[in-house]
Amino acid sequence: MIEKIGAAAMLEQLAEEAMELAHAALKLARIERGENPTPVLKEDAMDHLIEEYTDVVQCAEEFSLMPNREQIKLKKMRFEERWKEEHENCKNG
């Protein structure tokens, strides 16, 4: 695809798909939380989330983008540390 439409257009496509993924995630969050009701069924919202994620991955693959596994590992460790710290503060406070 990138050879046909060019890098700039592919980046625009990636941005558009990323926004659609964000909207799909927000819709599913509303359903999960049970707030701000939506007529969309959870199964349909999940299908849409997967579809939009797949579109983002497809665009990313056009640029040979790969996730940084070390960054993921470090982010998970920082989250776990913050969660433990907050949990300790709640128990002591």
Side-chain angles (χ1 to χ4, degrees):
M1 280 174 50
I2 198 169
E3 296 85 19
K4 302 288 187 202
I5 66 173
M10 196 73 239
L11 287 167
E12 292 165 345
Q13 184 68 32
L14 174 59
E16 183 178 323
E17 298 299 349
M19 286 188 299
E20 290 175 2
L21 174 60
H23 287 133
L26 289 169
K27 176 76 74 172
L28 188 55
R30 286 174 52 194
I31 293 167
E32 286 288 330
R33 198 173 280 117
E35 299 170 1
N36 195 6
T38 174
V40 177
L41 299 174
K42 183 177 180 177
E43 181 179 313
D44 293 337
M46 181 59 80
D47 289 345
H48 190 228
L49 182 71
I50 292 167
E51 176 186 343
E52 297 305 340
Y53 175 71
T54 302
D55 290 346
V56 168
V57 170
Q58 180 182 6
C59 289
E61 287 179 352
E62 288 292 322
F63 290 103
S64 300
L65 298 176
M66 298 296 295
N68 181 325
R69 295 292 171 194
E70 185 63 24
Q71 181 181 351
I72 292 169
K73 180 181 171 184
L74 292 172
K75 187 174 267 192
K76 185 176 181 180
M77 287 172 48
R78 286 192 306 268
F79 170 82
E80 288 174 356
E81 288 170 8
R82 283 193 304 260
W83 187 85
K84 286 178 186 175
E85 186 178 295
E86 186 175 315
H87 229 63
E88 285 299 315
N89 289 338
C90 288
K91 287 186 352 186
N92 296 328

